[in-house]
Amino acid sequence: MKIRTLARMALLTAAALILGYIDALIPLVPSVPGIKLGLSNLVLLYAVFYMRPLETVILMLLKVGLSSLLFGNAIGALYALAGGMLSVTAMLLLKRIPGVSPIPVSTVGGITHILGQLAVGTALISWQPVLVYAPWLLIAGTVTGILLGVAAKAAFYGIERYERRHDA
Amino acid sequence: MERNTAAAHRKRNLLLTGAAILFAALAVVLCLLFRPKPQIAGSFVIRYGDGRTLIVPAQETRTVVIRDGQLADVPTGEGDENVIRIEHGEAWMEQANCPHGACMKQGRLNPDTVEQRPLGAWIICAPHRVYIELSEDGG
């Protein structure tokens, strides 16, 4: 791995951890645990579009591992890992479609992240509370996925314009 | 030529986003259709650990302490701990040291609040794998 890639991954991991911490401070629906803005997924979305698939997966594993170590517990890590693996795989597959924008990629990422977590919930607890939970999480995952996609699209436009100006 | 490609990409992105939203909407409808129906309170079923169950009649007054997936006598705040209170036919999560404490914000569970509660007849502490269900037949 090149030093430049290594430095970029370290920076992105730090950004994901900080955004994850900010995320935990903003409870969207306090009575329904697990509903978050998912700000740290912006970092993964950046990796999906500008880095190699393997680097994106490593970044997701670093984000899940370190944030669980700092702010969560082992069970929380299982939920995050299942959601992260499923959403990163889905986003990387979708990114292969020519001309795809961050909005559908992020929306699919948000939904699949929730599906991964619901699968772990079914395995660890039982399907009944998961069914009660699922509608709230699916709605939140879709809405936050769209919002993050819109934010990412604007951010990527700015990044690309900046890079073009400095390359010229 | 370039304009046509951009228009095709825009259409494709709209279709993909629409399909994702439709999929999520269908999943939500299916979950709502098969959602467990709330019951009249007969007892509270507390599930914890690896499939352990404790049934507490709704009329009982009792504090249940669960630590690291096992019943405990008194709360100590150590390990993965949840303190559940059952009183006057309702149950609530009195204390929990899970990462965000969301289960404590889920409010009181009784037959009158079931319809209004986002999680219906359940109080769920996902990080500690502890959940309480309002049940008619005692689980």
Short mmCIF file of all heavy atoms in Angstrom, two decimals, chain A residues 22-66:
data_model
loop_
_atom_site.label_atom_id
_atom_site.label_comp_id
_atom_site.label_asym_id
_atom_site.label_seq_id
_atom_site.Cartn_x
_atom_site.Cartn_y
_atom_site.Cartn_z
N ILE A 22 -20.20 12.27 16.77
CA ILE A 22 -21.20 13.34 16.65
C ILE A 22 -22.59 12.72 16.44
O ILE A 22 -23.58 13.15 17.01
CB ILE A 22 -20.85 14.31 15.49
CG1 ILE A 22 -19.55 15.06 15.82
CG2 ILE A 22 -21.97 15.30 15.20
CD1 ILE A 22 -18.97 15.87 14.68
N ASP A 23 -22.62 11.68 15.61
CA ASP A 23 -23.86 10.94 15.34
C ASP A 23 -24.55 10.47 16.61
O ASP A 23 -25.77 10.62 16.76
CB ASP A 23 -23.48 9.69 14.54
CG ASP A 23 -24.30 9.57 13.29
OD1 ASP A 23 -25.06 10.49 13.00
OD2 ASP A 23 -24.14 8.55 12.61
N ALA A 24 -23.74 9.90 17.51
CA ALA A 24 -24.29 9.36 18.76
C ALA A 24 -24.86 10.47 19.65
O ALA A 24 -25.71 10.22 20.50
CB ALA A 24 -23.21 8.58 19.50
N LEU A 25 -24.37 11.71 19.45
CA LEU A 25 -24.85 12.84 20.27
C LEU A 25 -26.18 13.39 19.77
O LEU A 25 -26.81 14.19 20.43
CB LEU A 25 -23.81 13.97 20.26
CG LEU A 25 -22.44 13.66 20.89
CD1 LEU A 25 -21.52 14.87 20.74
CD2 LEU A 25 -22.59 13.30 22.36
N ILE A 26 -26.57 12.99 18.54
CA ILE A 26 -27.83 13.52 17.97
C ILE A 26 -28.85 12.39 17.86
O ILE A 26 -28.96 11.74 16.82
CB ILE A 26 -27.59 14.13 16.56
CG1 ILE A 26 -26.36 15.03 16.56
CG2 ILE A 26 -28.80 14.90 16.07
CD1 ILE A 26 -25.90 15.45 15.16
N PRO A 27 -29.62 12.12 18.93
CA PRO A 27 -30.64 11.06 18.82
C PRO A 27 -31.83 11.59 18.03
O PRO A 27 -32.43 12.58 18.38
CB PRO A 27 -31.01 10.78 20.28
CG PRO A 27 -30.62 12.01 21.03
CD PRO A 27 -29.66 12.82 20.22
N LEU A 28 -32.15 10.93 16.90
CA LEU A 28 -33.25 11.41 16.06
C LEU A 28 -34.60 11.04 16.66
O LEU A 28 -35.49 11.85 16.74
CB LEU A 28 -33.13 10.81 14.65
CG LEU A 28 -31.94 11.31 13.81
CD1 LEU A 28 -31.99 10.71 12.42
CD2 LEU A 28 -31.93 12.82 13.71
N VAL A 29 -34.74 9.79 17.06
CA VAL A 29 -35.97 9.33 17.75
C VAL A 29 -35.50 8.63 19.03
O VAL A 29 -35.17 7.45 18.99
CB VAL A 29 -36.79 8.37 16.86
CG1 VAL A 29 -38.13 8.02 17.52
CG2 VAL A 29 -37.03 8.95 15.48
N PRO A 30 -35.43 9.37 20.15
CA PRO A 30 -34.82 8.80 21.36
C PRO A 30 -35.43 7.47 21.80
O PRO A 30 -34.73 6.61 22.32
CB PRO A 30 -35.05 9.88 22.42
CG PRO A 30 -35.29 11.13 21.66
CD PRO A 30 -35.91 10.72 20.36
N SER A 31 -36.75 7.28 21.56
CA SER A 31 -37.38 6.05 22.06
C SER A 31 -37.13 4.85 21.15
O SER A 31 -37.49 3.74 21.50
CB SER A 31 -38.87 6.28 22.25
OG SER A 31 -39.44 6.64 21.02
N VAL A 32 -36.59 5.07 19.98
CA VAL A 32 -36.28 3.93 19.09
C VAL A 32 -34.76 3.85 18.92
O VAL A 32 -34.18 4.63 18.17
CB VAL A 32 -36.98 4.07 17.71
CG1 VAL A 32 -36.74 2.81 16.88
CG2 VAL A 32 -38.45 4.32 17.88
N PRO A 33 -34.13 2.94 19.65
CA PRO A 33 -32.68 2.87 19.57
C PRO A 33 -32.21 2.48 18.17
O PRO A 33 -32.89 1.76 17.46
CB PRO A 33 -32.32 1.77 20.58
CG PRO A 33 -33.58 1.01 20.80
CD PRO A 33 -34.70 1.95 20.56
N GLY A 34 -31.05 3.01 17.81
CA GLY A 34 -30.46 2.61 16.53
C GLY A 34 -30.73 3.57 15.39
O GLY A 34 -30.12 3.46 14.34
N ILE A 35 -31.66 4.54 15.59
CA ILE A 35 -31.92 5.50 14.51
C ILE A 35 -30.91 6.64 14.61
O ILE A 35 -30.91 7.38 15.59
CB ILE A 35 -33.38 6.02 14.56
CG1 ILE A 35 -34.33 4.86 14.27
CG2 ILE A 35 -33.58 7.15 13.57
CD1 ILE A 35 -35.76 5.25 14.07
N LYS A 36 -30.04 6.72 13.61
CA LYS A 36 -29.00 7.76 13.60
C LYS A 36 -28.93 8.37 12.21
O LYS A 36 -29.41 7.81 11.25
CB LYS A 36 -27.65 7.12 13.94
CG LYS A 36 -27.54 6.61 15.35
CD LYS A 36 -26.13 6.17 15.67
CE LYS A 36 -25.75 4.92 14.93
NZ LYS A 36 -24.43 4.40 15.33
N LEU A 37 -28.27 9.54 12.15
CA LEU A 37 -28.08 10.18 10.85
C LEU A 37 -27.13 9.37 9.97
O LEU A 37 -27.20 9.41 8.75
CB LEU A 37 -27.53 11.58 11.05
CG LEU A 37 -28.53 12.74 11.14
CD1 LEU A 37 -27.81 14.02 11.48
CD2 LEU A 37 -29.30 12.89 9.83
N GLY A 38 -26.20 8.67 10.59
CA GLY A 38 -25.22 7.87 9.83
C GLY A 38 -24.19 8.74 9.13
O GLY A 38 -23.77 8.43 8.01
N LEU A 39 -23.80 9.86 9.79
CA LEU A 39 -22.85 10.80 9.18
C LEU A 39 -21.55 10.13 8.75
O LEU A 39 -20.96 10.49 7.72
CB LEU A 39 -22.53 11.94 10.16
CG LEU A 39 -23.66 12.92 10.43
CD1 LEU A 39 -23.27 13.87 11.56
CD2 LEU A 39 -24.01 13.70 9.19
N SER A 40 -21.10 9.13 9.54
CA SER A 40 -19.81 8.51 9.22
C SER A 40 -19.88 7.71 7.91
O SER A 40 -18.85 7.40 7.31
CB SER A 40 -19.35 7.61 10.36
OG SER A 40 -20.31 6.63 10.60
N ASN A 41 -21.11 7.43 7.44
CA ASN A 41 -21.22 6.73 6.15
C ASN A 41 -20.82 7.63 4.98
O ASN A 41 -20.56 7.13 3.89
CB ASN A 41 -22.64 6.21 5.96
CG ASN A 41 -22.89 5.02 6.86
OD1 ASN A 41 -21.96 4.31 7.23
ND2 ASN A 41 -24.13 4.82 7.24
N LEU A 42 -20.77 8.96 5.23
CA LEU A 42 -20.27 9.89 4.20
C LEU A 42 -18.84 9.51 3.81
O LEU A 42 -18.46 9.57 2.65
CB LEU A 42 -20.26 11.32 4.75
CG LEU A 42 -21.51 12.17 4.54
CD1 LEU A 42 -21.34 13.51 5.21
CD2 LEU A 42 -21.80 12.36 3.06
N VAL A 43 -18.07 9.12 4.83
CA VAL A 43 -16.68 8.74 4.60
C VAL A 43 -16.61 7.47 3.75
O VAL A 43 -15.82 7.37 2.82
CB VAL A 43 -15.95 8.55 5.96
CG1 VAL A 43 -14.55 8.03 5.76
CG2 VAL A 43 -15.93 9.86 6.74
N LEU A 44 -17.48 6.51 4.07
CA LEU A 44 -17.50 5.26 3.29
C LEU A 44 -17.96 5.52 1.86
O LEU A 44 -17.46 4.92 0.92
CB LEU A 44 -18.43 4.24 3.94
CG LEU A 44 -17.89 3.56 5.20
CD1 LEU A 44 -18.89 2.54 5.71
CD2 LEU A 44 -16.56 2.86 4.91
N LEU A 45 -18.89 6.46 1.73
CA LEU A 45 -19.39 6.82 0.40
C LEU A 45 -18.26 7.43 -0.43
O LEU A 45 -18.11 7.13 -1.62
CB LEU A 45 -20.54 7.82 0.58
CG LEU A 45 -21.64 7.86 -0.47
CD1 LEU A 45 -22.21 6.49 -0.73
CD2 LEU A 45 -22.74 8.79 -0.02
N TYR A 46 -17.45 8.25 0.23
CA TYR A 46 -16.27 8.84 -0.45
C TYR A 46 -15.34 7.71 -0.90
O TYR A 46 -14.87 7.70 -2.04
CB TYR A 46 -15.53 9.79 0.51
CG TYR A 46 -14.22 10.28 -0.05
CD1 TYR A 46 -14.15 11.42 -0.85
CD2 TYR A 46 -13.03 9.58 0.21
CE1 TYR A 46 -12.94 11.85 -1.37
CE2 TYR A 46 -11.83 10.01 -0.31
CZ TYR A 46 -11.79 11.14 -1.10
OH TYR A 46 -10.58 11.55 -1.64
N ALA A 47 -15.12 6.75 -0.02
CA ALA A 47 -14.20 5.64 -0.35
C ALA A 47 -14.75 4.82 -1.51
O ALA A 47 -13.99 4.40 -2.39
CB ALA A 47 -14.02 4.76 0.89
N VAL A 48 -16.07 4.60 -1.54
CA VAL A 48 -16.68 3.82 -2.63
C VAL A 48 -16.40 4.49 -3.98
O VAL A 48 -16.10 3.83 -4.97
CB VAL A 48 -18.21 3.68 -2.40
CG1 VAL A 48 -18.92 3.20 -3.65
CG2 VAL A 48 -18.47 2.71 -1.25
N PHE A 49 -16.45 5.84 -4.00
CA PHE A 49 -16.30 6.56 -5.26
C PHE A 49 -14.85 6.85 -5.63
O PHE A 49 -14.52 6.96 -6.79
CB PHE A 49 -17.10 7.87 -5.21
CG PHE A 49 -18.55 7.67 -5.58
CD1 PHE A 49 -19.45 7.21 -4.64
CD2 PHE A 49 -18.99 7.88 -6.88
CE1 PHE A 49 -20.77 7.00 -4.97
CE2 PHE A 49 -20.31 7.66 -7.21
CZ PHE A 49 -21.21 7.21 -6.27
N TYR A 50 -13.96 7.00 -4.64
CA TYR A 50 -12.61 7.48 -4.96
C TYR A 50 -11.49 6.51 -4.57
O TYR A 50 -10.33 6.81 -4.80
CB TYR A 50 -12.35 8.83 -4.28
CG TYR A 50 -13.24 9.92 -4.83
CD1 TYR A 50 -14.36 10.33 -4.11
CD2 TYR A 50 -12.99 10.50 -6.06
CE1 TYR A 50 -15.20 11.31 -4.62
CE2 TYR A 50 -13.82 11.48 -6.57
CZ TYR A 50 -14.92 11.89 -5.84
OH TYR A 50 -15.76 12.85 -6.35
N MET A 51 -11.83 5.38 -3.95
CA MET A 51 -10.78 4.44 -3.55
C MET A 51 -11.08 3.04 -4.11
O MET A 51 -12.14 2.80 -4.64
CB MET A 51 -10.66 4.41 -2.02
CG MET A 51 -10.20 5.77 -1.48
SD MET A 51 -10.19 5.87 0.30
CE MET A 51 -8.64 5.07 0.66
N ARG A 52 -10.11 2.15 -3.95
CA ARG A 52 -10.30 0.78 -4.45
C ARG A 52 -11.25 0.01 -3.53
O ARG A 52 -11.33 0.29 -2.33
CB ARG A 52 -8.96 0.07 -4.49
CG ARG A 52 -8.05 0.63 -5.55
CD ARG A 52 -6.80 -0.21 -5.64
NE ARG A 52 -5.88 0.37 -6.58
CZ ARG A 52 -4.57 0.39 -6.42
NH1 ARG A 52 -4.03 -0.14 -5.35
NH2 ARG A 52 -3.79 0.92 -7.34
N PRO A 53 -11.95 -1.00 -4.08
CA PRO A 53 -12.90 -1.77 -3.25
C PRO A 53 -12.27 -2.35 -1.98
O PRO A 53 -12.85 -2.25 -0.90
CB PRO A 53 -13.36 -2.89 -4.19
CG PRO A 53 -13.21 -2.32 -5.56
CD PRO A 53 -12.02 -1.41 -5.50
N LEU A 54 -11.05 -2.90 -2.11
CA LEU A 54 -10.41 -3.50 -0.93
C LEU A 54 -10.12 -2.43 0.14
O LEU A 54 -10.32 -2.67 1.34
CB LEU A 54 -9.10 -4.21 -1.34
CG LEU A 54 -8.38 -4.91 -0.19
CD1 LEU A 54 -9.20 -6.07 0.35
CD2 LEU A 54 -7.01 -5.44 -0.65
N GLU A 55 -9.69 -1.26 -0.32
CA GLU A 55 -9.42 -0.16 0.64
C GLU A 55 -10.71 0.28 1.33
O GLU A 55 -10.71 0.60 2.52
CB GLU A 55 -8.80 1.02 -0.11
CG GLU A 55 -7.39 0.73 -0.62
CD GLU A 55 -6.91 1.69 -1.68
OE1 GLU A 55 -7.66 2.63 -2.04
OE2 GLU A 55 -5.79 1.50 -2.18
N THR A 56 -11.81 0.26 0.57
CA THR A 56 -13.11 0.64 1.15
C THR A 56 -13.52 -0.36 2.24
O THR A 56 -13.98 0.04 3.32
CB THR A 56 -14.19 0.67 0.04
OG1 THR A 56 -13.71 1.48 -1.03
CG2 THR A 56 -15.50 1.21 0.55
N VAL A 57 -13.32 -1.64 1.95
CA VAL A 57 -13.69 -2.67 2.94
C VAL A 57 -12.81 -2.53 4.19
O VAL A 57 -13.31 -2.60 5.33
CB VAL A 57 -13.56 -4.09 2.31
CG1 VAL A 57 -13.76 -5.16 3.37
CG2 VAL A 57 -14.58 -4.27 1.20
N ILE A 58 -11.50 -2.29 3.99
CA ILE A 58 -10.60 -2.13 5.15
C ILE A 58 -11.03 -0.92 5.98
O ILE A 58 -11.08 -0.98 7.22
CB ILE A 58 -9.13 -1.98 4.69
CG1 ILE A 58 -8.65 -3.29 4.05
CG2 ILE A 58 -8.21 -1.60 5.85
CD1 ILE A 58 -7.28 -3.22 3.40
N LEU A 59 -11.39 0.16 5.29
CA LEU A 59 -11.83 1.38 5.98
C LEU A 59 -13.09 1.10 6.82
O LEU A 59 -13.19 1.54 7.97
CB LEU A 59 -12.12 2.47 4.95
CG LEU A 59 -12.34 3.87 5.49
CD1 LEU A 59 -11.06 4.42 6.11
CD2 LEU A 59 -12.80 4.81 4.39
N MET A 60 -14.02 0.34 6.25
CA MET A 60 -15.25 0.00 6.97
C MET A 60 -14.91 -0.84 8.22
O MET A 60 -15.44 -0.60 9.30
CB MET A 60 -16.20 -0.76 6.03
CG MET A 60 -17.55 -1.12 6.59
SD MET A 60 -17.55 -2.63 7.53
CE MET A 60 -17.19 -3.79 6.24
N LEU A 61 -13.99 -1.81 8.05
CA LEU A 61 -13.62 -2.67 9.19
C LEU A 61 -12.94 -1.84 10.28
O LEU A 61 -13.20 -2.04 11.48
CB LEU A 61 -12.69 -3.79 8.72
CG LEU A 61 -13.34 -4.85 7.81
CD1 LEU A 61 -12.30 -5.83 7.28
CD2 LEU A 61 -14.43 -5.60 8.54
N LEU A 62 -12.10 -0.89 9.87
CA LEU A 62 -11.43 -0.01 10.86
C LEU A 62 -12.46 0.83 11.60
O LEU A 62 -12.41 0.98 12.82
CB LEU A 62 -10.43 0.91 10.15
CG LEU A 62 -9.10 0.27 9.75
CD1 LEU A 62 -8.30 1.22 8.85
CD2 LEU A 62 -8.27 -0.07 10.99
N LYS A 63 -13.40 1.39 10.83
CA LYS A 63 -14.45 2.24 11.42
C LYS A 63 -15.28 1.44 12.43
O LYS A 63 -15.47 1.88 13.57
CB LYS A 63 -15.34 2.78 10.29
CG LYS A 63 -16.48 3.64 10.77
CD LYS A 63 -17.48 3.85 9.66
CE LYS A 63 -18.81 3.55 10.16
NZ LYS A 63 -19.98 3.42 9.68
N VAL A 64 -15.72 0.26 12.04
CA VAL A 64 -16.55 -0.58 12.92
C VAL A 64 -15.75 -1.00 14.15
O VAL A 64 -16.21 -0.87 15.30
CB VAL A 64 -17.07 -1.82 12.15
CG1 VAL A 64 -17.69 -2.82 13.11
CG2 VAL A 64 -18.10 -1.41 11.10
N GLY A 65 -14.55 -1.50 13.93
CA GLY A 65 -13.72 -2.01 15.03
C GLY A 65 -13.38 -0.93 16.04
O GLY A 65 -13.60 -1.10 17.25
N LEU A 66 -12.89 0.21 15.54
CA LEU A 66 -12.46 1.27 16.47
C LEU A 66 -13.63 1.94 17.16
O LEU A 66 -13.56 2.23 18.36
CB LEU A 66 -11.61 2.31 15.71
CG LEU A 66 -10.23 1.82 15.28
CD1 LEU A 66 -9.54 2.82 14.38
CD2 LEU A 66 -9.35 1.55 16.51
#
